Amino acid sequence: MLGFTLLALSGEVGETSNLVKKIWRGDCSLCEKQAELQEEIADIFAYLLKLTYQLGFDLEQAYLEKNRKNYERFAKYAKDDK
């Protein structure tokens, strides 16, 4: 079910954000939370893959196409920086 998958994905992002917030404010160190962060990010990835499967598209192909569009869109700014 698409709605459940998106809700679950959002929950995992929230859990990851909460861990980062605790690290950022000094409650714990990145080293202490490294394993938990790895698990939460793996959960995000799993739900993201499930979402793309439910929607019927290849995430890698979608990423490559979006990356190409962004390159075309922003390449002119890179030239201006030189």
Side-chain angles (χ1 to χ4, degrees):
M1 183 160 135
L2 190 60
F4 173 78
T5 305
L6 187 56
L7 186 61
L9 174 62
S10 298
E12 296 300 337
V13 170
E15 290 178 20
T16 305
S17 298
N18 195 42
L19 284 171
V20 170
K21 175 186 70 177
K22 289 175 181 179
I23 295 164
W24 184 52
R25 70 181 181 203
D27 296 349
C28 51
S29 70
L30 175 59
C31 204
E32 292 172 315
K33 295 295 181 182
Q34 188 78 29
E36 286 180 69
L37 282 169
Q38 181 176 323
E39 285 187 21
E40 295 302 337
I41 292 170
D43 287 341
I44 291 169
F45 186 64
Y47 280 117
L48 186 60
L49 289 175
K50 185 172 184 170
L51 186 65
T52 61
Y53 176 77
Q54 289 173 338
L55 292 169
F57 68 89
D58 182 302
L59 183 57
E60 183 179 15
Q61 273 309 120
Y63 165 77
L64 292 172
E65 177 61 20
K66 181 63 176 174
N67 197 40
R68 183 191 63 76
K69 286 179 182 178
N70 284 341
Y71 178 80
E72 290 172 359
R73 182 176 175 195
F74 297 111
K76 63 182 175 187
Y77 298 113
K79 292 176 187 173
D80 292 342
D81 289 341
K82 292 181 181 180

